[in-house]
Amino acid sequence: MLTKRIIACMDVRDGQVVKGVQFQQLRHAGDPGELARRYNVEGIDEVVVLDITATLESRQALARTINAVARQIFLPLTVGGGIRSEDDAAAAVDAGADKVSLNTAALNNPELITTLAGRYGSQAVIVAIDAKRRGDGFAVYVRSGTSDAARDAVEWAREAESRGAGEILLTSMDRDGTRSGFDCEMTAAVANAVNIPVIASGGAGGLDHFAEVFTRGHADAALAASIFHYADTSVSELKRFLRERQIPVRL
Amino acid sequence: MIALIDYGAGNLTSVRKALTALGAEFATPTSAAECSSFSALIVPGVGHFAATAGLVGPWRDAIGAAVRTGTPLFGICLGMQWLFEGSDEAPDVPGLGVLPGRVVRLQGNAKQRLKIPHVGWNGLQPPRGPKGSAPHAFSGRILGGLADGAHVYFTHSYAAPVTADCVAATTHAETFSAVVERGNVFGVQFHPEKSSEAGLQIIRNFLEVSRAC
């Protein structure tokens, strides 16, 4: 049976892992290669590296970081943050990424989804959606959550799928870094609207939150950062907890 | 020396990294004629079956000839599908045809939320024997050291049926061939280079087979 995936995300700045709250107040969380090695031993299913500065100088640093992580683990590795062109994606793939995650660039230039899916296959293209609740809907934001994209998350996820995206990485901006639980309603709304896997992100604080997003939220995978970085919760402990609740995981 | 065949279907970085970590000696032949000088062949690949059109012609002939003379061949993901006669994904493109059968699209099951593409970690099981008999343990050199139920990382929409050459099957709404083995021909539908320890063990097993040849 296909298992629910647990994904560790590392927000990287200047070659170091950092983590903020609701996209602000960054603090250091460690060395990417070292963290990746620890996660692999604990049984993480996938790793995401997000370049949160995405400046020209950070591009070269990012390639070194991807390399350092890819040397430590034999797991699917996704790279995102500032991937704006086919060349940016190619640089990430050449450095060792298996998938690239597009956010702002996908909204500005949806053709890029199709281009990259054609070149690397849909399985290599993740469209990341940052959204917050507004009324009955979920408003999409771009530029690291600073700019309203005037799109609804459900409608945009459907379009991304039709353009060739292989997965959706859905982050609740309301919950990001708060440890108050995933936004299960938003996750379910998107997961029920598309036929590609949905990765839930934002708000993981306890073991129960993962169980909820896999059941009530219909998520195919769940992503977290800070609870794994600071070793509050080990991946193996989380997986044992999920298995006890009849949620299929790789142990 | 192992030949890692590059026909432009996806990125070989991960496979190279895994082979390097396991101490394998490998190179990418630049012409089909070179295939005969290698002790083993690996055909990797991700994406659409049409990409294997790059192998039609001299490459297909050279790889076929090497296999007939006993050279071990390992197909990964799209590379495994190519071992069969063909695929519904690109009906006009012939496979290598060293394994009987045809690759078909997975159906999934919307009611049970079993989506296509099949993406993620799923278990390997010994295929069921003749009607009524209990599943037997893993057989085959490629699965040495692996436990029944071992999880590996898949990402695909098409798969080969369970045939006599299937040594491990996986179920995602339907049951398909996850690992095949017939003489010196081996194939895996998943990505061993992305499947942590279980995947590395399978690559190690292929390296063992190559050394024994």
Side-chain angles (χ1 to χ4, degrees):
Chain A
M1 185 191 279
L2 188 62
T3 58
K4 299 290 189 181
R5 286 174 282 156
I6 305 296
I7 303 176
C9 180
M10 302 193 252
D11 291 348
V12 171
R13 183 161 117 173
D14 305 325
Q16 286 293 305
V17 179
V18 294
K19 185 59 202 162
V21 175
Q22 286 172 320
F23 289 39
Q24 303 293 321
Q25 302 159 14
L26 300 174
R27 63 169 168 140
H28 281 267
D31 173 74
E34 233 164 76
L35 274 177
R37 192 169 57 224
R38 194 184 88 206
Y39 294 152
N40 182 42
V41 169
E42 289 179 0
I44 201 78
D45 295 318
E46 251 178 273
V47 172
V48 174
V49 170
L50 284 182
D51 177 13
I52 61 163
T53 43
T55 59
L56 197 57
E57 302 78 66
S58 74
R59 301 268 94 188
Q60 283 117 25
L62 180 65
R64 282 195 298 276
T65 302
I66 299 169
N67 250 307
V69 171
R71 267 202 306 275
Q72 297 293 341
I73 54 167
F74 294 94
L75 297 172
L77 173 61
T78 299
V79 172
I83 292 182
R84 297 182 192 89
S85 66
E86 199 177 342
D87 285 349
D88 290 340
V93 167
D94 290 344
D98 301 291
K99 317 181 192 183
V100 292
S101 172
L102 305 173
N103 193 328
T104 307
L107 271 159
N108 289 348
N109 174 21
E111 284 293 302
L112 184 60
I113 303 171
T114 316
T115 305
L116 293 178
R119 178 160 170 186
Y120 297 109
S122 285
Q123 86 293 332
V125 184
I126 295 182
V127 168
I129 303 178
D130 297 336
K132 39 173 130 172
R133 288 182 179 232
R134 185 189 294 152
D136 293 338
F138 309 100
V140 178
Y141 280 72
V142 287
R143 300 184 202 290
S144 306
T146 58
S147 169
D148 186 341
R151 294 290 294 266
D152 180 75
V154 171
E155 172 258 330
W156 169 227
R158 276 205 188 103
E159 181 183 337
E161 177 184 21
S162 72
R163 287 182 180 273
E167 295 181 69
I168 300 290
L169 167 55
L170 180 67
T171 300
S172 164
M173 295 175 62
D174 300 316
R175 303 293 178 88
D176 179 65
T178 63
R179 304 194 180 202
S180 59
F182 296 94
D183 188 337
C184 291
E185 285 73 35
M186 181 168 86
T187 307
V190 173
N192 293 342
V194 296
N195 294 310
I196 52 178
V198 173
I199 305 162
S201 154
L207 304 177
D208 274 328
H209 295 155
F210 288 87
E212 276 167 25
V213 83
F214 287 136
T215 51
R216 217 154 51 77
H218 298 159
D220 299 282
L223 175 146
S226 42
I227 70 162
F228 298 144
H229 297 338
Y230 304 116
D232 299 351
T233 306
S234 81
V235 178
S236 47
E237 179 191 358
L238 168 61
K239 287 188 162 183
R240 282 195 300 273
F241 174 88
L242 293 172
R243 176 169 279 188
E244 279 165 20
R245 277 149 193 81
Q246 275 75 52
I247 295 169
V249 288
R250 174 179 75 108
L251 265 178
Chain B
M1 180 73 78
I2 293 170
L4 180 62
I5 311 291
D6 185 1
Y7 55 103
N11 148 45
L12 304 189
T13 310
S14 298
V15 178
R16 285 202 177 97
K17 189 165 64 79
L19 289 171
T20 304
L22 295 174
E25 288 191 354
F26 63 96
T28 299
T30 51
S31 76
E34 290 172 36
C35 284
S36 60
S37 60
F38 287 89
S39 59
L41 310 172
I42 297 178
V43 179
V46 290
H48 200 280
F49 196 82
T52 66
L55 291 167
V56 173
W59 285 100
R60 186 168 173 271
D61 297 343
I63 295 169
V67 168
R68 278 190 296 278
T69 60
T71 304
L73 170 63
F74 187 34
I76 297 174
C77 194
L78 190 55
M80 163 183 167
Q81 297 179 2
W82 184 68
L83 302 175
F84 288 83
E85 292 160 29
S87 168
D88 287 354
E89 191 175 21
D92 300 336
V93 180
L96 183 61
V98 293
L99 301 180
R102 196 170 172 80
V103 173
V104 295
R105 190 174 166 84
L106 293 174
Q107 297 305 312
N109 184 322
K111 249 197 204 149
Q112 295 171 38
R113 297 181 174 283
L114 298 173
K115 296 176 177 180
I116 303 299
H118 173 224
V119 180
W121 296 80
N122 205 333
L124 299 177
Q125 314 115 29
R128 296 209 164 258
K131 254 190 190 144
S133 73
H136 44 79
F138 281 144
S139 61
R141 292 179 285 173
I142 200 72
L143 292 172
L146 258 81
D148 182 353
H151 281 88
V152 289
Y153 186 80
F154 291 87
T155 174
H156 63 123
S157 299
Y158 286 76
V162 175
T163 61
D165 303 316
C166 174
V167 290
T170 292
T171 302
H172 183 65
E174 61 211 285
T175 300
F176 59 87
S177 272
V179 185
V180 289
E181 176 169 341
R182 181 189 181 109
N184 54 325
V185 175
F186 309 87
V188 292
Q189 178 57 67
F190 49 88
H191 287 278
E193 76 281 13
K194 296 277 114 190
S195 296
S196 202
E197 256 320 301
L200 294 178
Q201 181 60 39
I202 287 171
I203 300 174
R204 227 177 261 129
N205 291 340
F206 180 72
L207 297 178
E208 276 299 309
V209 168
S210 323
R211 273 192 281 271
C213 274

